[in-house]
């Protein structure tokens, strides 16, 4: 009956709209921490669609206080059971040091020892001299991905049964890989192919000896 199809669609829309009120988790019970870079297509990289995950993006795809806040909410109260971290090659967070960026800001007249990092909570201030570390610049994408996974696993605000893994999105190949597992380091190399070489002790075959 047509009315049944119409009512089904209406019910689906209502459930979608009232997910939080109904306590319905995202489809895959997944929270994703990823870099904000426009070359990182999170849904495409993970093969997920609309409604499948809560996606949190920031500069570098790093575990910050606000990332922990979101991870805590999605795992403790919204039903997420898995976390995936996605960092990527050629990340802008590797283009300068925190000290360099702090110097640029100071030259603009900003007092980094007194600036509020959360406008809604002005009482939260960084200790003197910590701003450069707070920016969280880094030099190795594989190392930083591994570190972010460990930071999340060690957080007291995230349940111990939440499954947490990290991956690298290669902007040059448009594909995911595991940290420290570059296929290009092994593809078409003699050592990886375990190339066989002839031994001098082996008898030399005469021409045509393999033809019966």
């Amino acid at each position: 009956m047509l009315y049944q199809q119409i009512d089904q669609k209406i019910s689906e829309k209502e459930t979608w709209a009232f997910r939080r009120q109904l306590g319905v988790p995202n489809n895959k019970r997944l929270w994703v921490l990823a870099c904000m870079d426009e070359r990182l297509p999170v849904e495409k990289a993970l093969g997920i669609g609309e409604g499948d995950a809560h996606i949190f993006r920031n500069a570098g795809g790093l575990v910050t206080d606000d990332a922990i806040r979101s991870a805590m909410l999605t795992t403790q109260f919204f039903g997420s059971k898995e976390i995936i971290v996605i960092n990527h090659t050629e990340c802008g967070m590797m283009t300068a040091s925190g000290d360099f960026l702090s110097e640029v800001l100071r030259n603009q007249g900003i007092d980094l020892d007194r600036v509020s990092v959360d406008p809604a909570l002005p009482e939260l201030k960084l200790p003197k001299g910590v701003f450069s570390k707070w920016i969280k610049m880094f030099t190795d994408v594989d190392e930083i991905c591994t570190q972010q996974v460990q930071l999340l696993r060690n957080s007291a605000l995230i349940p111990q049964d939440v499954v947490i893994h990290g991956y690298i999105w290669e902007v040059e190949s448009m594909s995911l890989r595991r940290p420290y597992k570059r296929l290009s380091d092994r593809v078409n190399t003699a050592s990886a192919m375990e190339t066989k070489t002839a031994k001098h002790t082996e008898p030399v075959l005469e021409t045509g000896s393999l033809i019966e």
Side-chain angles (χ1 to χ4, degrees), residues 144-193:
I144 205 68
C145 183
T146 303
Q147 287 179 0
Q148 303 321 292
V149 170
Q150 202 58 47
L151 288 171
L152 289 167
R153 287 176 177 170
N154 291 339
S155 174
L157 294 174
I158 300 174
Q160 291 297 306
D161 62 346
V162 172
V163 178
I164 307 174
H165 289 90
Y167 297 92
I168 305 297
W169 175 257
E170 291 185 336
V171 298
E172 64 273 25
S173 65
M174 295 291 285
S175 61
L176 285 177
R177 65 169 170 80
R178 300 182 184 88
Y180 300 107
K181 299 292 183 179
R182 300 177 182 84
L183 290 181
S184 58
D185 291 342
R186 296 182 57 200
V187 173
N188 293 328
T189 63
S191 60
M193 298 293 289

Side-chain angles (χ1 to χ4, degrees), residues 12 43 67 75 92 117 172 178 197 207 209:
E12 290 174 353
E43 289 87 349
T75 57
V117 294
E172 64 273 25
R178 300 182 184 88
T197 58
T207 303
S209 62

Side-chain angles (χ1 to χ4, degrees), residues 62-132:
L62 303 178
V63 177
T64 60
D65 56 346
D66 198 38
I68 287 292
R69 167 182 167 271
S70 296
M72 177 268 294
L73 288 170
T74 192
T75 57
Q76 294 280 11
F77 302 103
F78 300 154
S80 293
K81 297 297 182 181
E82 181 180 10
I83 293 176
I84 289 182
V85 177
I86 310 180
N87 299 106
H88 68 94
T89 56
E90 287 295 301
C91 185
M93 295 296 283
M94 295 189 289
T95 59
S97 69
D99 289 338
F100 175 82
L101 296 181
S102 294
E103 182 179 357
V104 172
L105 294 173
R106 287 193 184 94
N107 289 339
Q108 297 178 11
I110 301 175
D111 186 350
L112 301 183
D113 291 327
R114 301 187 64 180
V115 67
S116 175
V117 294
D118 187 340
L121 295 171
E123 63 270 24
L124 294 180
K125 296 185 183 298
L126 296 173
K128 185 176 181 179
V130 175
F131 190 88
S132 295

